[in-house]
Amino acid sequence: MGVPFDYAPDRPEHIDVILNGLDRYNPETTAVFQDYVMQQCENQTYDCYANLALLKLYQFNPHLTRDETITNILVKSLTVFPSPDFSLCLSLLPPHILTPHAASLSAPAAGDASLPEAVQKLNVLNNLLGGADYAGFWAELDSDDLYADLVADVSGFEELMRVRIAVTVSQAMRAVKRSVLEAWLNLFGSGFEHFVGEVCGWVVEGDTVKVPLNKENEAKGTVVRENVKFDQFSRLIKRAYEQPA
Amino acid sequence: MSLRQPYQADGGVRNFKDDDSDVEEEALVNDYREQVRYEDGMDDLDRTISLGGSSQQDISAQLAAAATPLEFQATLETKFASYDNYCSLFHYILNSEGPVDLEAPSYFWAWDVIDEFIYQFNSFCSYRQRVALKADNEEEIQLLRDAPNTWGCYSVLNVLYSLIQRSQISEQLAAMQRGEDPAQFAGEYGNRPLYKMLGYFSIIGLLRVHCLLGDFSLALKTLDDIELNKKAMFARVMAAHFTTYYYVGFSYMMMRRYADAIRMFSHILVYVSRTKNFQKNAQYDSITKRNDQMYALIAICVAFHPTRLDDTIHTALREKYGEQFTRMQRGGPESLPLFEELFRNACPKFISPTPPDFDNPQINVDPVEHHLAIFMDEVKNNMWSPTVKSYLKLYTTMDLKKLAGFLEVEPDKLRNWLLVNKQRSRQVRWGEGGLLDGEVVNSSDLDYALQVDLIHVSEAKVGRRLVDWYLRNLARTY
């Protein structure tokens, strides 16, 4: 079933009101949206459309920008890959954010990473996910302490990512080698068995993991048939009436 | 947009007009109001508005000026003056007591004025960004520093939203969709053609502004009230029709809904190619460039999402971009520069809404480069899909390691490519409802699943299309 892009099941009423009115441009609502982002991070809910509205407010009022909120939004949007949300968020950030020298230019004191640096780091993760290089994703995530800081606010980040990866696996595979899946999920031993068995409902048999058949991974050949509508014949029938036989 | 407040209501709306020029403008308009009251007996056409405090200008001349492009080499002063001109004109139209009694100079005027207004906003922002990046013209930099609010995004959006509200165009369009008489919902302003047309084209203007600012989902959301078909009001003005489909198509492309983007571009390109014989005029000339841009975009979308195109489009595409089209469809690293080139030529001139940082010239990157970088990441993710597909088409089952040998890559890498291709073949596609609605469908004729290292391939065969053939032959026999 499809849902419209701007729909979020858990969106509170007052956010909906702001999004549908002109208050979405009102800098005073920034605080409301920021709280909402925090809330999404805490309860593992997600509302891309509202987060984009906040990024737009930042775009229009750069002095209100809060780096931490931006990175939280980006991290949240990673948890719904392979949807384009991360890219859509990036599009609303300042144009220099992805250029290499911007990262070194505005390095703030106290050893904190600058916003461009953080965003570029997250973009690396996004590209690994986009290329379905899940083992690479976990390795990268583990390679720099900065990542731990960036994802710290998003509760259950690793779990959310594993579920997401499992979903993409279930779409493409009927059975997969245990070692491959372990690397993709970054889970080993009993943790792996628990996740695969309890959360996904898959079966571990020796060194393979069986994924039950679903609509996506059965890959059945189909024949697309023409869908003929009566309307297509309307002219013909009209003509038949008009012309005396 | 259910909560539209009147123009000068409280809350967020006031924030739209927090720039200084508005204060000045307020004074001017009050000044003007007094004069109007004073000369109340005069004919409407003779109404004048005070401009810059000194010159008196005929309002109809001002209306015409608002729809006329600036000279290509216009100076910054001209651009500032033009902005003030728009402000006073829109202020007059929106904030006079009651609707103003004006006859638009022509049917196209309302479109032209919105079009030109946004075009000037667009080129002003691009220009400002360039000046800041180059940092070699102190004089202009100083001028721009001193006027941070000229052509500000808040004022531009304010104008568009106010015109939409004043004309109650959303309510009118909603009534039309329900099959009711829109005039009942139009109110005092919306019943006048001037307001109605300005309001209507402001919706399309918003679509464009949001897209230029990189907010593609909001751009599509803006069109919720407008039904896209040939009967829509915008279809009566060729340039409006064209612009609408370009921006909708582009926004879809950036949301990775390639099938929907192709549908939009095809629709308008077919329309143009069928009507070009009737449109040999200036209006048509101005869209030729856009036309080529859309062919480039369609080529990009087809590379992402191979599909059968309409014959006319396919032929024209081969003529214009034959070589690039074939190479993009082949994928691989060699195709990357082509994607880059076509995207650069065909994308809108993206802007950054806020004044640039004049103190750090080098960080004022052209926003086009920013969007290009984001887009190219997705192209890179996808570039092996054509290769993978071309091999899989040949088999019903295939061993992963064997295929990896053919392709000379690591089996692990190939497994990733297979996952990527599988994910990208599932796309959201519009069925009915708002432009942002849609369902995830399998958009590829090739499907596969892995059983450990064995790839099972299946194909969706298209049955013979008989109805067209049947109808054509029947028509001939009559």
Side-chain angles (χ1 to χ4, degrees):
Chain A
M1 266 310 290
V3 286
F5 180 82
D6 52 334
Y7 173 79
D10 310 306
R11 184 185 299 155
E13 180 96 17
H14 69 282
I15 299 285
D16 206 48
V17 169
I18 297 174
L19 284 176
N20 287 318
L22 284 180
D23 262 347
R24 60 154 46 236
Y25 298 103
N26 183 350
E28 282 160 33
T29 56
T30 311
V32 181
F33 279 123
Q34 279 167 181
D35 290 345
Y36 186 40
V37 172
M38 256 350 266
Q39 207 180 314
Q40 292 172 48
C41 291
E42 280 160 22
N43 344 333
Q44 310 199 353
T45 53
Y46 179 65
D47 187 345
C48 186
Y49 192 63
N51 295 348
L52 288 171
L54 176 57
L55 292 178
K56 194 175 187 86
L57 277 167
Y58 288 156
Q59 187 189 34
F60 283 4
N61 307 283
H63 60 282
L64 296 173
T65 304
R66 273 193 12 196
D67 294 0
E68 199 188 295
T69 313
I70 293 182
T71 52
N72 280 344
I73 289 176
L74 289 175
V75 172
K76 277 305 272 185
S77 68
L78 283 178
T79 64
V80 294
F81 89 96
S83 67
D85 297 22
F86 187 88
S87 303
L88 294 176
C89 292
L90 272 188
S91 296
L92 289 175
L93 297 180
H96 66 267
I97 206 93
L98 290 177
T99 50
H101 59 262
S104 53
L105 189 80
S106 51
D112 266 354
S114 68
L115 182 65
E117 197 184 341
V119 171
Q120 287 170 27
K121 279 276 185 192
L122 292 174
N123 197 34
V124 172
L125 288 186
N126 182 52
N127 286 334
L128 288 168
L129 291 171
D133 186 358
Y134 305 135
F137 164 78
W138 293 110
E140 174 70 24
L141 189 65
D142 206 31
S143 70
D144 192 331
D145 289 342
L146 179 56
Y147 284 123
D149 290 345
L150 290 172
V151 304
D153 282 342
V154 178
S155 99
F157 175 73
E158 298 198 351
E159 190 74 3
L160 287 170
M161 293 315 294
R162 281 188 190 111
V163 170
R164 219 46 223 180
I165 290 169
V167 168
T168 64
V169 169
S170 77
Q171 285 172 347
M173 315 234 160
R174 294 177 202 166
V176 55
K177 222 186 275 167
R178 177 171 174 149
S179 58
V180 172
L181 195 58
E182 278 178 339
W184 282 355
L185 294 172
N186 196 31
L187 275 178
F188 306 91
S190 61
F192 174 77
E193 275 157 31
H194 173 81
F195 182 82
V196 167
E198 299 298 314
V199 182
C200 308
W202 301 343
V203 187
V204 186
E205 276 178 20
D207 66 344
T208 56
V209 179
K210 293 221 154 123
V211 182
L213 275 188
N214 59 49
K215 211 178 103 223
E216 306 293 337
N217 73 358
E218 59 182 0
K220 232 175 23 188
T222 47
V223 178
V224 182
R225 290 196 180 276
E226 215 171 353
N227 201 355
V228 185
K229 291 210 182 79
F230 184 70
D231 284 0
Q232 289 174 275
F233 287 85
S234 62
R235 255 172 73 192
L236 190 79
I237 292 164
K238 194 166 155 230
R239 197 112 44 106
Y241 261 110
E242 283 166 354
Q243 276 191 350
Chain B
M1 298 288 150
S2 59
L3 262 197
R4 294 231 166 84
Q5 297 130 310
Y7 181 67
Q8 274 174 327
D10 52 349
V13 184
R14 203 182 296 133
N15 292 297
F16 275 70
K17 17 188 312 164
D18 54 0
D19 51 357
D20 291 344
S21 64
D22 271 4
V23 179
E24 274 171 44
E25 193 199 314
E26 196 87 9
L28 287 177
V29 170
N30 286 334
D31 188 31
Y32 162 70
R33 281 215 191 102
E34 274 176 29
Q35 291 177 35
V36 172
R37 236 171 270 140
Y38 184 66
E39 305 165 333
D40 219 358
M42 286 178 68
D43 193 300
D44 277 319
L45 275 178
D46 286 333
R47 280 190 181 184
T48 51
I49 185 160
S50 96
L51 252 187
S54 58
S55 66
Q56 298 279 316
Q57 209 184 339
D58 191 356
I59 183 75
S60 58
Q62 211 187 346
L63 291 180
T68 317
L70 287 182
E71 274 176 51
F72 183 64
Q73 290 292 354
T75 59
L76 267 184
E77 281 85 356
T78 323
K79 287 173 181 161
F80 287 156
S82 173
Y83 172 74
D84 291 339
N85 222 337
Y86 279 113
C87 283
S88 69
L89 177 67
F90 286 128
H91 206 112
Y92 171 62
I93 291 177
L94 289 163
N95 294 354
S96 299
E97 282 168 36
V100 293
D101 202 2
L102 276 180
E103 197 77 38
S106 75
Y107 186 76
F108 301 123
W109 179 79
W111 163 256
D112 285 345
V113 85
I114 299 290
D115 182 50
E116 185 57 27
F117 178 61
I118 293 170
Y119 177 78
Q120 289 191 20
F121 167 60
N122 190 348
S123 53
F124 182 84
C125 290
S126 306
Y127 185 78
R128 185 170 58 182
Q129 195 87 4
R130 264 202 312 279
V131 169
L133 180 63
K134 277 199 215 139
D136 56 359
N137 190 335
E138 273 309 317
E139 201 183 325
E140 290 202 327
I141 289 176
Q142 198 51 48
L143 274 173
L144 289 167
R145 265 184 206 269
D146 291 344
N149 292 318
T150 303
W151 287 111
C153 53
Y154 268 118
S155 3
V156 170
L157 284 178
N158 184 19
V159 165
L160 298 176
Y161 275 112
S162 305
L163 287 168
I164 291 171
Q165 285 178 350
R166 266 282 188 250
S167 59
Q168 292 177 286
I169 190 72
S170 307
E171 290 80 356
Q172 294 193 55
L173 289 167
M176 272 154 84
Q177 280 189 358
R178 292 193 303 266
E180 293 171 37
D181 178 16
Q184 286 179 339
F185 299 86
E188 190 187 3
Y189 288 85
N191 269 318
R192 302 189 179 229
L194 177 84
Y195 286 92
K196 187 173 173 183
M197 295 315 273
L198 279 175
Y200 185 84
F201 289 128
S202 293
I203 298 182
I204 307 217
L206 271 184
L207 158 76
R208 184 162 153 196
V209 171
H210 288 321
C211 191
L212 288 172
L213 293 171
D215 199 341
F216 307 109
S217 53
L218 191 60
L220 292 177
K221 181 75 184 160
T222 312
L223 286 199
D224 262 1
D225 296 319
I226 293 186
E227 264 184 284
L228 287 181
N229 56 38
K230 286 183 191 121
K231 281 180 220 133
M233 238 198 301
F234 63 75
R236 278 185 264 163
V237 182
M238 184 60 194
H241 195 177
F242 207 69
T243 307
T244 310
Y245 276 87
Y246 171 78
Y247 284 102
V248 171
F250 191 84
S251 300
Y252 269 140
M253 185 180 104
M254 294 307 271
M255 294 189 77
R256 300 189 197 152
R257 294 173 61 162
Y258 303 109
D260 287 324
I262 292 172
R263 192 165 47 84
M264 289 296 147
F265 294 137
S266 306
H267 167 94
I268 193 69
L269 290 172
V270 167
Y271 181 81
V272 171
S273 74
R274 293 218 177 116
T275 56
K276 71 177 162 207
N277 296 331
F278 315 112
Q279 310 236 18
K280 284 270 179 258
N281 55 26
Q283 227 201 107
Y284 181 72
D285 288 343
S286 70
I287 61 177
T288 345
K289 192 179 158 218
R290 264 278 129 85
N291 209 35
D292 286 359
Q293 289 184 324
M294 288 210 262
Y295 276 109
L297 291 176
I298 227 174
I300 291 177
C301 290
V302 172
F304 272 111
H305 168 66
T307 186
R308 253 185 80 100
L309 291 170
D310 180 282
D311 283 345
T312 20
I313 296 181
H314 199 247
T315 320
L317 190 58
R318 290 225 160 274
E319 255 167 48
K320 286 181 207 293
Y321 297 106
E323 168 74 14
Q324 289 109 311
F325 186 46
T326 324
R327 281 169 57 198
M328 283 201 300
Q329 279 186 303
R330 217 179 291 146
E334 307 83 45
S335 69
L336 296 180
L338 293 166
F339 276 100
E340 221 174 292
E341 182 198 328
L342 288 194
F343 184 89
R344 224 187 270 273
N345 292 337
C347 71
K349 298 273 166 282
F350 289 111
I351 46 176
S352 165
T354 44
D357 184 349
F358 292 106
D359 298 321
N360 294 306
Q362 69 275 32
I363 76 162
N364 299 300
V365 187
D366 184 349
V368 171
E369 299 303 314
H370 176 56
H371 292 278
L372 177 68
I374 297 171
F375 174 76
M376 286 312 290
D377 277 342
E378 177 60 10
V379 176
K380 278 175 214 151
N381 283 335
N382 256 309
M383 68 183 174
W384 299 109
S385 292
T387 324
V388 170
K389 269 194 263 184
S390 65
Y391 274 92
L392 289 181
K393 261 189 196 145
L394 307 173
Y395 305 91
T396 50
T397 52
M398 179 71 183
D399 186 69
L400 183 95
K401 296 210 175 71
K402 198 165 146 200
L403 183 56
F406 287 166
L407 295 169
E408 296 171 358
V409 291
E410 291 292 308
D412 281 344
K413 195 96 208 148
L414 178 60
R415 217 177 271 122
N416 296 345
W417 291 354
L418 286 169
L419 279 173
V420 170
N421 185 44
K422 182 89 182 189
Q423 285 161 24
R424 294 305 187 271
S425 70
R426 302 294 187 269
Q427 264 183 43
V428 183
R429 195 187 296 177
W430 183 83
E432 54 180 353
L435 292 176
L436 285 175
D437 285 16
E439 281 192 42
V440 180
V441 292
N442 179 6
S443 61
S444 168
D445 51 358
L446 188 85
D447 207 0
Y448 53 84
L450 275 101
Q451 181 99 41
V452 191
D453 276 350
L454 191 65
I455 314 167
H456 295 268
V457 188
S458 70
E459 221 177 330
K461 290 199 183 73
V462 180
R464 287 181 64 190
R465 297 194 167 268
L466 292 170
V467 175
D468 261 357
W469 181 87
Y470 181 62
L471 279 174
R472 232 179 306 142
N473 281 284
L474 263 180
R476 219 180 288 157
T477 56
Y478 270 112

